[in-house]
Amino acid sequence: MSEGTWEKLAQVAVKGAQHDSREHQPHPKCLEGTRVALLNYIYESLDRPGKSQLIWLHGTAGVGKSAVAFTVAERMRGLKVKEGSKEKRLAGTFFFSRKHTKRRTTGYFFATLVYQLARNFPSIREDVNRIILDNPALLDHDTSLRDQMEALFLQPLQRLQLRLRECPPLTFVIDALDECASESPEDDTSESELTDLISLLGEALREPNLPITHILLTSRSEEYIHKAMQTEEIRPLVCEIPVRTSGDGVAATISLFRELGTRHPDFPQPSTDELARLASRAGRRFIVASTMMKFIDDRHNDPRDRLQLMLELTSELLPGTEVYKLYDRILSTCTDPTLAYLHLSVIAALADPLPMAQISKLLGPGEGRDVESVLVQLRSVIDVLIDSNLPVNIYHSSVRDYVSHHSNSSLCQVHNIAPPHSLLALSCLRLMVHDLLESTALLDAFSELTKHSQAIGSHGPQNLKHTLDFIVQPPEPLQMLIGLLWLWGHRNSELQFWLDTRDGQAWLQTNAQIHWL
């Protein structure tokens, strides 16, 4: 066995995508006494020996799909393929997440699964190493997804067929398919990427010389996922489980308050009527009940006062809006709701999470003021860690939905806040120009560009390189940026911009808007 190959696979595999990774603590899980019927149905489906299945659990945001996925994964990890064996029925997990670069793409999917599979079944580790040695490119995230499926998923499973012939089915758990997403909302590449993944998983499960393998998939009820599941080839494999209205509201609320009571023995348990009122406010969404408990038990405020705030929430909410009203109420308790909303929207918009100090530096002395004190007030919706050097994450994707448009909030003071992507773009520009304020490079660049303006207007693009020869190669990033901005304004009559560095300040004016840098 090539240890170097195994070490390379270990480096490529995304540990944060595994269900029990510390990257997404606290781990979501079904509370005691909740989702009993649903979980039993899934367990029965995973025990079926007849044929391999794609078990698709889908529903709206916040109904507890990830909690179900984690709970199922934990149960299957506790079951062995044979009595006395160390090998588990849980073959692998992958929890997609839009918040993390390597977890929002399928490029690392099969490498992560085969790493877990080979750790669980050491007998195939040599085969996996040989496959990778024969084609090292399989570990590249941009390698053909089909090639990765055949080499890193299908072939290793085929090696286990004889060994597992009389054993119960293997289980893979894949959570949040819809979180496989590109950075741009207009880019539908991720949809076709995910459709290909579903098709390839179905193709693998149709192979006759494969041990019986069930794959639990969870996602929102997106139309493109529905279509992928209903194709002629995939439909016969699918066991569809739609998650609609949950009847577990009261049970979940009671269970959460029991946990709260163990941490605060002096905290009076709510009456049956109050529990019912809290459950009605949670509606069908588990995330609402969970966030309520985090808000009540934030360890920095009197839980009795927080409980009263939750009880004051109106119960006459439209289905699906419960979580938005809850987020409104949480923001309204902040010292500065406007600034809290701004910081929350920026965190949700970041392609990769950042620590608080870096968020503050990125936003600058204006919008970036008091980041730490503001985010601490949002602990019920943001995972604020004790170590300020660690990234700050939103707890649930419904937070991203909430701040995606001002109309989702009933707080009038947030409706004039600039969109987070615009704010981040201007913040990045501010950081790029900052280092030039104490040098003459900026003024020199403008001076030279002015001299060459007529030449640029009269000559073709092929002469542009010679026109800009005055820039020392390789050009400084800011010099290039300023040059491009100037050229853009020169070529587009609708755009005008000015950059001023007087009085130690820098600001960029585009048409009638002024942006401090």
Side-chain angles (χ1 to χ4, degrees), residues 437-498:
L437 295 181
E438 297 180 357
S439 73
T440 62
L442 181 62
L443 295 178
D444 292 344
F446 270 113
S447 176
E448 292 296 336
L449 282 169
T450 301
K451 293 178 184 178
H452 291 275
S453 62
Q454 295 302 320
I456 294 176
S458 59
H459 293 297
Q462 66 273 15
N463 293 324
L464 182 60
K465 178 180 181 298
H466 300 294
T467 305
L468 299 180
D469 272 345
F470 68 91
I471 297 180
V472 178
Q473 299 295 328
E476 292 292 329
L478 179 59
Q479 288 179 322
M480 181 172 288
L481 172 66
I482 296 302
L484 289 174
L485 281 173
W486 188 88
L487 289 172
W488 187 21
H490 184 81
R491 296 281 185 170
N492 297 273
S493 59
E494 295 181 359
L495 173 72
Q496 291 181 315
F497 81 94
W498 297 265

